Amino acid sequence: MTIFHVGFPKAASSTLQYNVFPHLEDYSFFNPVLHAGHEDMDEDPVFVEIMKLLYEGNEEYDPANIRRLFEAHEGQEQIISSEGFTGYDGNMGLRAERAVEAFSGQGAPKVLFVLRNQWVSLRSFYKQNAARTHLVPWHFDHVEWSQWLWYHTLPGHRYTGVLPMFNYEPIIRYYETLFGRENVNVLLFEKLVRSPLEFAEDLGEVLRVDPANLQPLLSNDRANQGPKTAKKRVLPFFPATLLGTADEMAFGKYEEGLRSLYAEGNHALADRYDLPLADLNYPM
């Protein structure tokens, strides 16, 4: 069985990629993040081939090389995971088609998504990017919350690409057409935070792993805590206002526009996957 994790930003992707997937005995885990920065990464076949799948031109990518990686771990299940498959930079179709080629002969993979409330994700995304760019005052992201929202909601603005990547339904629907609705699984970040045992049970059902083995891994500190870790690195230089409470009044000016972007898709996902998105205050 192959697990294909399409990781949405700010939705536990790092937790799964660092704390969970590499530690499952019955699985081989294919993810370039774990190999990046190593001295021999350019010679590591996992790093090289997955990066080709994600980022390089057609002439550089050969699906047979991915299949050979799978064959080298014969007898184990496979997990391939990346945020790149969400298509946040416009290449979802290419990457998904390559994934179909790579999985040919393996049987349809189980596709895994984790969703997070878009209001919360946008705030977290803003804070993390603001913290990372604090030393470049003229950088686009070095602005307060209200200004950041204004930039990202300008019609036709090049940074409006941030907003569609949190529009989950079209991306999930696309993968349903590729691999079948019956092979797509949708979990909720909020359950991981509020009820880790229930999240472990849901994830265990997808992975066919005992939830008791998953819960300790999920209980580890989450790998990417965004502005919390960034704040520790950059203080005392970073303006505290950028990491303070979000300006709710400013957010209200753009709330209806953001709701119109996400509400229809969230309603569809709530119905299709029986998800309590309204109870969790998702844009509806």
Side-chain angles (χ1 to χ4, degrees):
M1 179 177 70
T2 300
I3 302 296
F4 185 29
H5 171 232
V6 182
F8 285 116
K10 314 307 299 175
S13 294
S14 296
T15 295
L16 295 174
Q17 291 167 352
Y18 285 92
N19 294 356
V20 178
F21 293 155
H23 305 290
L24 302 178
E25 293 183 358
D26 295 330
Y27 281 92
S28 296
F29 179 42
F30 301 95
N31 175 268
V33 171
L34 297 181
H35 302 265
H38 295 183
E39 290 183 2
D40 60 347
M41 65 181 183
D42 291 332
E43 299 177 5
D44 186 296
V46 172
F47 179 83
V48 171
E49 296 305 327
I50 299 297
M51 290 299 285
K52 284 180 181 179
L53 187 156
L54 289 172
Y55 298 111
E56 296 186 12
N58 286 314
E59 68 277 4
E60 297 290 337
Y61 171 67
D62 183 353
N65 291 339
I66 300 291
R67 290 195 288 272
R68 278 193 282 272
L69 287 178
F70 291 163
E71 291 167 2
H73 296 80
E74 189 174 358
Q76 286 190 302
E77 315 285 10
Q78 293 93 24
I79 298 177
I80 182 168
S81 169
S82 175
E83 289 188 5
F85 289 113
T86 61
Y88 60 84
D89 59 358
N91 285 324
M92 178 179 67
L94 173 65
R95 292 169 180 155
E97 290 168 7
R98 289 177 172 182
V100 171
E101 291 179 317
F103 293 133
S104 66
Q106 301 286 321
K110 281 192 172 184
V111 185
L112 173 64
F113 294 95
V114 180
L115 310 187
R116 187 181 185 184
N117 185 316
Q118 287 103 333
W119 303 141
V120 181
S121 292
L122 281 169
R123 285 190 179 92
S124 179
F125 190 86
Y126 155 74
K127 290 179 180 180
Q128 183 173 339
N129 280 272
R132 285 174 173 171
T133 59
H134 77 288
L135 293 178
V136 189
W138 57 88
H139 190 282
F140 167 78
D141 281 318
H142 191 79
V143 294
E144 292 191 359
W145 171 241
S146 58
Q147 187 79 353
W148 188 89
L149 275 174
W150 177 75
Y151 278 133
H152 284 76
T153 52
L154 281 176
H157 195 282
R158 67 191 181 101
Y159 284 99
T160 55
V162 170
L163 301 182
M165 70 183 182
F166 294 103
N167 192 14
Y168 307 132
E169 197 276 337
I171 298 172
I172 293 174
R173 178 163 28 92
Y174 184 79
Y175 281 98
E176 289 173 352
T177 63
L178 291 176
F179 298 116
R181 161 66 183 85
E182 69 279 6
N183 293 309
V184 175
N185 303 268
V186 179
L187 308 186
L188 298 178
F189 177 91
E190 290 79 11
K191 188 176 284 190
L192 170 61
V193 174
R194 300 178 186 185
S195 181
L197 177 57
E198 289 186 29
F199 186 90
E201 291 172 349
D202 292 344
L203 183 61
E205 185 175 347
V206 176
L207 300 175
R208 295 190 302 201
V209 172
D210 187 342
N213 296 332
L214 293 174
Q215 193 174 10
L217 302 176
L218 291 166
S219 299
N220 292 336
D221 287 341
R222 286 189 284 282
N224 181 1
Q225 298 187 45
K228 289 184 181 178
T229 52
K231 188 174 183 179
K232 292 178 183 177
R233 290 196 302 269
V234 305
L235 288 177
F237 308 104
F238 189 74
T241 56
L242 290 181
L243 286 173
T245 302
D247 181 351
E248 296 297 338
M249 291 181 63
F251 182 72
K253 291 167 59 178
Y254 308 101
E255 183 174 0
E256 194 55 39
L258 294 172
R259 189 185 305 278
S260 67
L261 177 62
Y262 302 131
E264 182 178 354
N266 286 347
H267 277 292
L269 289 174
D271 292 341
R272 210 151 70 235
Y273 289 90
D274 193 23
L275 301 171
L277 302 188
D279 295 340
L280 295 168
N281 296 317
Y282 279 59
M284 300 291 278

